[in-house]
Amino acid sequence: MPEALNSIFSTNKSFLSSFSHLKPHFSSSNHEFPHPRQVLFPISSKTTISVPIKPTKTRDTASISPKGPMPNSDFQEKMLYLDSIGIDFISVISDYPPVISVSLADIKSKVEFMTSMDFTIIEFRRIVGMCPEILTSRVSDIVPIFTFLLREARVNGSDIKRVIHRRPRLLACSIKDRLRPTLYFLQSIGIEEVNKHTHLLSCSVENKLMTRIDYFENIGFSRRDATTMFRRFPQLFCYSIKDNLEPKFNYFVVEMGRDLKELKEFPQYFSFSLEHRIKPRHKCCVDMGVCFPLPILLKTNEARFHDRLEVCCNSSIPLSSSPLWCKNCVIDSI
């Protein structure tokens, strides 16, 4: 057997040496050549050696091919149905992408439920525009929210549509994690008629409500006084600290030079426009040398404000250092 192998190698060596004068040449073009399953080298008249060629790796087209039919038909059906009730499916997807995975049957069930609750298609369209998340909610999740609002938040049945219209996001909130904890918090600070402030129920206690109370503590109010302000005017919870509370407070202290006690008594100050109400009226009072209590300064309409300004210019008495306080206005605000 060793002699046979030596014979094979010497034969192959002489065979290959006959091609040694040739230089390899590769075409610039990229050709594909068939790959034989095996290459046979002649050894003798009776014996051959089979050398397997490693197969070329190819992409497994089966692994990247979609299984089953493409979902185009379902997508088109949802788009056509929503379009038939005036909702632009593409716009909804761009605002809230998870909507694309909702089945047509689920969408129809929500439309049917909302219409059964006396909401018109136009009203439902507005709700979806403000809170597209409702399309991904199940009817079995929405029904308990209506029950919660009616039984625990004490919303009158005749007011339920108004409540949802004002804050559609209520229908996408978790009762356990959001609505009920916020209800208990509002009640704990003394807001008894939460049914008049249901828009606050969708707010996070930690991330929104408490941060505003903390802000008023940081600028000089006690926790008790800050809580009193929110109890008197719960709308304070809705105002941005950076864009509303901060600039108005700075103007109140720096430019108006007034006492924090006035804000405690009249937290509605923060509901008025700084540029269109607070600044112009304060400037009028400074120019005339009088000072109005905050309710008189801000709540009266334009004509009545200027009438009071003229009257008070002739009846101002120095209740404190300059400017002069209007005696009649001080009495009216008590």
Side-chain angles (χ1 to χ4, degrees):
M1 188 65 181
E3 296 177 357
L5 290 174
N6 289 332
S7 176
I8 292 170
F9 293 137
S10 62
T11 302
N12 287 338
K13 182 177 181 181
S14 61
F15 174 76
L16 294 172
S17 64
S18 63
F19 296 97
S20 61
H21 66 286
L22 299 177
K23 295 182 179 181
H25 173 74
F26 300 98
S27 173
S28 59
S29 60
N30 191 12
H31 298 285
E32 294 184 358
F33 297 95
H35 297 281
R37 295 183 179 178
Q38 61 184 18
V39 177
L40 302 177
F41 289 95
I43 299 176
S44 68
S45 58
K46 295 182 180 180
T47 308
T48 62
I49 294 178
S50 176
V51 182
I53 301 298
K54 187 176 181 181
T56 304
K57 291 183 179 180
T58 59
R59 296 181 68 186
D60 186 1
T61 56
S63 64
I64 61 174
S65 300
K67 297 181 179 180
M70 293 293 287
N72 289 340
S73 59
D74 182 62
F75 182 89
Q76 291 174 355
E77 288 179 2
K78 288 188 290 188
M79 184 170 62
L80 291 173
Y81 174 73
L82 289 173
D83 184 68
S84 70
I85 60 176
I87 297 176
D88 186 349
F89 190 38
I90 303 300
S91 296
V92 172
I93 292 174
S94 65
D95 292 338
Y96 191 63
V99 172
I100 198 171
S101 63
V102 182
S103 69
L104 178 60
D106 285 342
I107 293 175
K108 286 184 175 180
S109 66
K110 281 182 275 288
V111 174
E112 292 172 359
F113 171 74
M114 293 299 289
T115 53
S116 72
M117 295 296 293
D118 202 30
F119 288 87
T120 66
I121 291 297
I122 295 176
E123 291 169 335
F124 180 76
R125 186 165 64 228
R126 178 181 176 275
I127 291 173
V128 172
M130 296 179 67
C131 181
E133 291 93 329
I134 190 176
L135 290 177
T136 61
S137 300
R138 296 172 297 181
V139 172
S140 58
D141 294 327
I142 298 176
V143 172
I145 294 175
F146 279 93
T147 304
F148 169 85
L149 292 173
L150 293 169
R151 294 183 179 178
E152 297 188 46
R154 303 295 182 183
V155 175
N156 293 326
S158 58
D159 294 332
I160 195 70
K161 285 184 64 175
R162 177 188 59 80
V163 167
I164 299 301
H165 276 308
R166 182 174 185 184
R167 191 64 172 170
R169 188 163 298 279
L170 289 168
L171 297 180
C173 291
S174 165
I175 295 176
K176 178 183 177 182
D177 299 329
R178 178 59 57 84
L179 300 181
R180 189 171 286 125
T182 304
L183 172 66
Y184 291 164
F185 173 79
L186 294 175
Q187 291 173 336
S188 71
I189 65 173
I191 302 177
E192 298 178 356
E193 296 181 315
V194 178
N195 56 355
K196 293 182 179 179
H197 308 284
T198 50
H199 58 284
L200 295 175
L201 292 175
S202 63
C203 300
S204 167
V205 173
E206 295 79 11
N207 297 331
K208 186 167 185 176
L209 305 187
M210 283 302 304
T211 56
R212 281 149 181 77
I213 292 179
D214 291 341
Y215 168 77
F216 278 93
E217 278 195 88
N218 292 335
I219 61 177
F221 293 92
S222 67
R223 172 57 67 105
R224 181 176 180 179
D225 287 345
T227 302
T228 299
M229 293 172 66
F230 283 93
R231 182 168 61 247
R232 287 178 173 174
F233 189 55
Q235 190 65 23
L236 271 180
F237 284 122
C238 300
Y239 298 146
S240 165
I241 294 176
K242 180 180 179 181
D243 299 329
N244 187 309
L245 303 180
E246 211 167 65
K248 290 178 182 177
F249 177 77
N250 290 338
Y251 187 82
F252 178 85
V253 173
V254 177
E255 299 297 331
M256 300 176 72
R258 304 181 75 143
D259 193 273
L260 295 184
K261 183 180 178 181
E262 291 189 78
L263 288 180
K264 176 188 172 184
E265 298 297 327
F266 189 70
Q268 292 87 342
Y269 163 84
F270 293 97
S271 66
F272 294 94
S273 169
L274 180 60
E275 299 298 330
H276 299 100
R277 180 62 69 92
I278 299 174
K279 286 184 177 181
R281 293 202 172 181
H282 171 67
K283 187 176 184 303
C284 285
C285 289
V286 171
D287 291 343
M288 300 296 289
V290 299
C291 186
F292 286 159
L294 288 180
I296 303 299
L297 177 70
L298 300 174
K299 289 178 68 176
T300 54
N301 61 43
E302 201 67 24
R304 185 168 175 76
F305 169 75
H306 287 286
D307 288 343
R308 278 182 172 269
L309 197 60
E310 286 188 19
V311 171
C312 290
C313 283
N314 299 322
S315 61
S316 298
I317 58 173
L319 298 183
S320 62
S321 59
S322 181
L324 301 178
W325 285 77
C326 175
K327 177 177 65 175
N328 294 332
C329 291
V330 170
I331 295 174
D332 289 345
S333 65
I334 297 176

